[in-house]
């Protein structure tokens, strides 16, 4: 692995760094208070427009779709430099990271021209409508159906855990269009207007107090056939395009996530009472050491992916290793750190220490990270089959018509 920038990459990094210094000064420090949704959306749109004007959006996208036509390493470099600033992030990560690449890969020219430029500029927000109450890890088990009616499709069903559906203008939705086919072959994907009649979005209240996830109900929602992505019945193939982008997007450690340094700082201010196995001195040292090892393993696995990208290759299924380790490490670290902090770890609200509040958020959020972008179980199957070459998992319903399977 080569950890150094090439001369061209170093030049690009310097240019990006200088631009951020000139344009992101208001985001040098974290906000004193979390932004409310309207302010977050307004700031996100303003920052996206500023990036777009400077040529830092769609960095790897083909120029014919409004992108910059640069390499994945250019995108990685920009992301690394932007992560040093507390700019508003998240509103466009799903749309620009997963949905729009699917649109310009599988959409017709009219659809691409209509939606891609506005999404890139940040004028319209997108969400991904995949998971359902009975189809999470087994995405091909979805029951939301679309029935052809002339030049339109009528969609009925329910999606769940849809991030930012409440703030989205459009979404990509995968539906079952032929229940007589095996579950992977009877699917079709569409673009849906989130403000269309029959679309109902209900927020899911999280234990953190936030409500970033949603249930979405479709009741006779009409979509023109021109807004179909890919051929009828090719929904699984189209979904794999989205999932490929998702795997790369969620594989690394989240920005500002706590690490071994957090435990070291916290341990210096704690007197461990004798006989308490939760915070005994030897346990603290071992936990810090294990966290450091995990962090370095994650870093090196990510570097392997970056090395592949820098050589024009596509990162392999070993990217799933990072995702499994990141989520579990974050959860274990935050849990141990809160134990280490004693009663102070339970204080919430305005009286909470900022560092402990971050740990509380990490503890709560890391549980969801073990589900988002592929559950631990699914990722372990990928690692076992595609990295280690072990026999595939038994899938007795793979060739069974969906309407005759137990999932129907």
């Amino acid at each position: 692995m080569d950890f150094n920038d090439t001369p061209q990459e170093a030049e690009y990094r310097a240019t990006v760094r200088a631009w951020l210094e000139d344009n992101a000064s208001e985001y040098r420090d974290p906000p004193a208070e979390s932004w409310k949704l309207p302010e977050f959306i307004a700031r996100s749109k303003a920052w996206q427009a500023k990036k777009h004007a400077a040529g830092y959006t769609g960095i790897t996208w083909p120029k014919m779709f409004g992108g910059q036509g640069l390499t994945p390493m250019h995108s990685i470099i920009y992301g690394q430099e932007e992560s040093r600033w507390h700019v508003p992030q998240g509103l466009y990560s799903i749309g620009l990271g997963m949905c729009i690449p699917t649109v310009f890969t599988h959409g017709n020219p009219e659809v691409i021209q209509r939606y891609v430029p506005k999404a890139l500029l940040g004028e319209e927000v997108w969400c991904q409508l995949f998971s359902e109450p009975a189809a999470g890890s087994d995405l091909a088990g979805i029951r939301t159906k679309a029935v052809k009616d002339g030049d339109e499709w009528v969609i009925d069903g329910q999606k769940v855990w849809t991030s930012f559906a409440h703030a989205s203008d459009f979404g990509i939705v995968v539906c079952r269009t032929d229940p007589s086919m095996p579950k992977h072959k009877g699917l079709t994907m569409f673009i849906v207007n989130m403000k269309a009649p029959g679309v109902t979005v209900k927020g899911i209240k999280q234990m953190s107090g936030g409500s970033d996830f949603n249930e979405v109900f479709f009741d006779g929602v009409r979509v023109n056939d021109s807004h179909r992505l890919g051929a009828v019945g090719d929904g699984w193939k189209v979904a794999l395009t989205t999932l490929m982008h998702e795997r790369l997007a969620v594989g690394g450690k989240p920005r500002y996530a706590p690490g071994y340094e957090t435990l070291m700082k916290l341990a210096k201010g704690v007197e461990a009472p004798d006989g308490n196995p939760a915070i005994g001195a030897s346990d603290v040292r071992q936990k810090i050491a294990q966290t450091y090892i995990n962090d370095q393993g994650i870093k090196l696995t990510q570097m392997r992916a970056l090395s592949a990208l820098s050589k024009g290759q596509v990162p392999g299924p070993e990217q799933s290793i990072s995702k499994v380790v990141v989520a579990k490490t974050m959860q274990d670290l935050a849990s141990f750190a809160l134990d280490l902090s004693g009663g102070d770890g339970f204080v919430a609200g305005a009286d909470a220490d900022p560092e402990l509040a971050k740990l509380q958020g990490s503890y709560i959020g890391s549980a969801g990270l073990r589900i988002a972008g592929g559950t631990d179980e699914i990722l372990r199957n990928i690692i076992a089959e595609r990295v280690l070459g072990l026999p595939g998992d038994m899938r007795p319903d793979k060739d069974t018509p969906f309407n005759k399977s137990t999932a129907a």
Side-chain angles (χ1 to χ4, degrees):
M1 292 185 292
D2 187 353
F3 293 90
N4 300 309
D5 290 337
T6 66
Q8 294 81 8
E9 291 168 353
E11 181 181 358
Y12 183 75
R13 187 183 296 276
T15 302
V16 170
R17 189 171 293 178
W19 183 82
L20 288 167
E21 283 285 349
D22 292 338
N23 291 274
S25 57
E26 64 178 303
Y27 298 115
R28 192 176 301 276
D29 299 314
E33 296 181 356
S34 297
W35 297 314
K36 301 297 184 183
L37 183 62
E39 183 181 6
F40 171 68
I41 292 175
R43 285 181 174 273
S44 297
K45 290 191 172 185
W47 179 244
Q48 183 69 15
K50 184 178 288 190
K51 287 167 56 176
H52 186 272
Y56 292 123
T57 57
I59 292 175
T60 62
W61 294 10
K63 290 185 177 181
M64 63 182 295
F65 299 133
Q68 308 304 317
L70 299 176
T71 69
M73 280 306 300
H74 286 89
S75 181
I76 293 292
I77 289 170
Y78 180 83
Q80 289 175 340
E81 293 302 318
E82 190 186 64
S83 69
R84 302 173 188 272
W85 301 80
H86 296 268
V87 298
Q89 289 189 333
L91 186 64
Y92 300 106
S93 59
I94 292 174
L96 299 181
M98 306 173 202
C99 300
I100 298 302
T102 305
V103 171
F104 67 63
T105 301
H106 299 282
N108 61 58
E110 291 75 18
V111 161
I112 293 171
Q113 183 60 38
R114 161 60 184 87
Y115 292 109
V116 173
K118 287 183 178 293
L120 197 58
L121 185 56
E123 292 182 357
E124 295 172 344
V125 182
W126 288 65
C127 63
Q128 172 187 307
L129 299 144
F130 278 18
S131 295
E132 298 184 7
S137 298
D138 184 13
L139 178 60
I142 64 168
R143 301 179 183 181
T144 295
K145 64 180 182 179
V147 178
K148 190 77 180 298
D149 182 19
D151 292 332
E152 295 182 320
W153 293 83
V154 182
I155 301 176
D156 290 280
Q158 178 188 359
K159 299 292 181 176
V160 73
W161 307 120
T162 307
S163 300
F164 288 113
H166 57 304
S168 293
D169 301 293
F170 298 95
I172 56 173
V173 57
V174 61
C175 304
R176 187 161 303 283
T177 51
D178 188 352
S180 68
M181 296 290 289
K183 62 181 183 180
H184 290 85
K185 297 181 181 180
L187 306 174
T188 307
M189 190 180 291
F190 304 91
I191 295 172
V192 63
N193 186 334
M194 295 300 291
K195 306 297 190 296
V199 177
T200 302
V201 179
K202 294 184 178 181
I204 298 174
K205 195 70 173 180
Q206 300 159 232
M207 62 180 176
S208 64
S211 190
D212 296 330
F213 303 112
N214 302 270
E215 293 179 287
V216 181
F217 298 88
F218 297 93
D219 184 11
V221 179
R222 290 186 169 269
V223 176
N224 194 282
D225 187 60
S226 63
H227 283 53
R228 170 172 41 83
L229 297 175
V232 175
D234 270 358
W236 184 252
K237 175 183 175 181
V238 179
L240 289 179
T241 300
T242 311
L243 295 174
M244 178 185 69
H245 288 279
E246 182 181 40
R247 287 283 188 267
L248 189 58
V250 302
K253 192 172 183 179
R255 185 174 64 156
Y256 306 127
Y260 70 93
E261 304 96 335
T262 306
L263 285 181
M264 291 181 66
K265 180 179 178 180
L266 191 59
K268 290 178 181 178
V270 174
E271 291 186 12
D274 294 335
N276 187 334
I279 55 174
S282 62
D283 295 285
V284 173
R285 287 194 295 269
Q286 290 180 21
K287 181 62 71 172
I288 291 174
Q290 187 60 54
T291 302
Y292 174 80
I293 291 170
N294 288 349
D295 277 355
Q296 292 304 302
I298 293 165
K299 176 182 176 181
L300 293 173
T301 302
Q302 288 300 104
M303 285 295 182
R304 178 185 295 176
L306 295 185
S307 292
L309 288 172
S310 68
K311 297 174 184 176
Q313 302 170 357
V314 178
E318 65 275 0
Q319 188 73 6
S320 298
I321 299 172
S322 290
K323 169 66 166 54
V324 171
V325 177
V326 164
K328 183 67 164 60
T329 298
M330 286 178 56
Q331 193 171 36
D332 289 348
L333 182 152
S335 176
F336 189 82
L338 292 174
D339 282 344
L340 197 61
S341 64
D344 291 341
F346 291 94
V347 179
D351 296 327
D353 178 272
E355 288 297 321
L356 290 178
K358 185 185 295 185
L359 284 167
Q360 291 170 351
S362 180
Y363 177 68
I364 295 171
S366 57
L369 189 61
R370 297 183 69 173
I371 300 172
T375 64
D376 286 2
E377 292 79 8
I378 292 295
L379 294 175
R380 287 194 176 101
N381 275 349
I382 293 173
I383 294 167
E385 295 176 18
R386 303 182 192 175
V387 179
L388 302 178
L390 298 177
D393 196 19
M394 293 293 292
R395 298 177 176 89
D397 62 345
K398 183 178 180 179
D399 299 316
T400 303
F402 184 77
N403 56 12
K404 297 185 182 300
S405 68
T406 57

